[in-house]
Amino acid sequence: MKHRLASLAVLALILTGCSATAGGDTDGTATSGATSSAPVEEVQEAPAEPLDMTGEWKQTNSNSADSYQAATISGEQITINWVNDAESTTALYWAGTYVPPADGAQTHTWDSANDTTQTDSAMLASGDPTKTFTYENGVLKYELTAMGVTMTVEMSKQ
């Protein structure tokens, strides 16, 4: 009798273990359908490419096509200039630190420390000791205050 109970217990374990591949529901009831002996393939996502913010950036929300801000990110520095294409002029607005994102990050925020050795002598430069930059969905953003007006500048990589 013990041998028969042990055999039933083993059979129950085998059937329970196979029910998921034999068309069983999670509640233990059987469903109709053919069984498949094909292995279940796991979908693996490719690792995210490191976010590379180095290069040239241009303001996308300027009110003028020929007057805007442009940035360069290189090494551990970000430099932003006022650009006036109509007069072929540029003027420094920001020179500060750049902190690259962690590998795999798709958004990034950092506080840039002002390089006052460059900005102190620039007439149109920000006097802020730090400036917060945010990158998300291909857009680099920061706040700009000039002549008592504050706005959020949005840039895209060129």
Side-chain angles (χ1 to χ4, degrees):
M1 179 76 167
K2 284 185 181 181
H3 181 55
R4 190 170 199 196
L5 285 175
S7 295
L8 286 174
V10 170
L11 182 60
L13 286 174
I14 291 172
L15 290 175
T16 303
C18 293
S19 67
T21 59
D25 267 317
T26 56
D27 65 1
T29 59
T31 58
S32 63
T35 61
S36 172
S37 61
V40 176
E41 292 183 29
E42 290 185 29
V43 177
Q44 294 181 358
E45 292 183 25
E49 290 291 321
L51 184 59
D52 182 10
M53 296 181 63
T54 59
E56 304 297 319
W57 295 77
K58 183 177 179 183
Q59 184 177 4
T60 57
N61 64 338
S62 175
N63 291 333
S64 172
D66 61 356
S67 181
Y68 52 89
Q69 287 203 322
T72 301
I73 297 177
S74 177
E76 296 179 353
Q77 184 172 2
I78 181 168
T79 304
I80 302 172
N81 288 300
W82 296 97
V83 178
N84 186 324
D85 287 338
E87 297 178 17
S88 299
T89 60
T90 61
L92 182 65
Y93 170 72
W94 184 260
T97 56
Y98 165 68
V99 179
D103 286 347
Q106 296 305 302
T107 61
H108 183 52
T109 299
W110 81 96
D111 290 326
S112 177
N114 189 347
D115 181 354
T116 56
T117 61
Q118 295 184 57
T119 58
D120 280 353
S121 61
M123 184 182 294
L124 298 176
S126 171
D128 296 337
T130 62
K131 186 167 288 295
T132 301
F133 291 86
T134 302
Y135 172 87
E136 186 173 14
N137 297 324
V139 179
L140 179 63
K141 296 180 184 182
Y142 56 93
E143 283 195 356
L144 174 148
T145 301
M147 296 182 278
V149 177
T150 300
M151 70 173 288
T152 299
V153 173
E154 296 180 356
M155 293 185 159
S156 65
K157 195 170 182 182
Q158 300 300 294

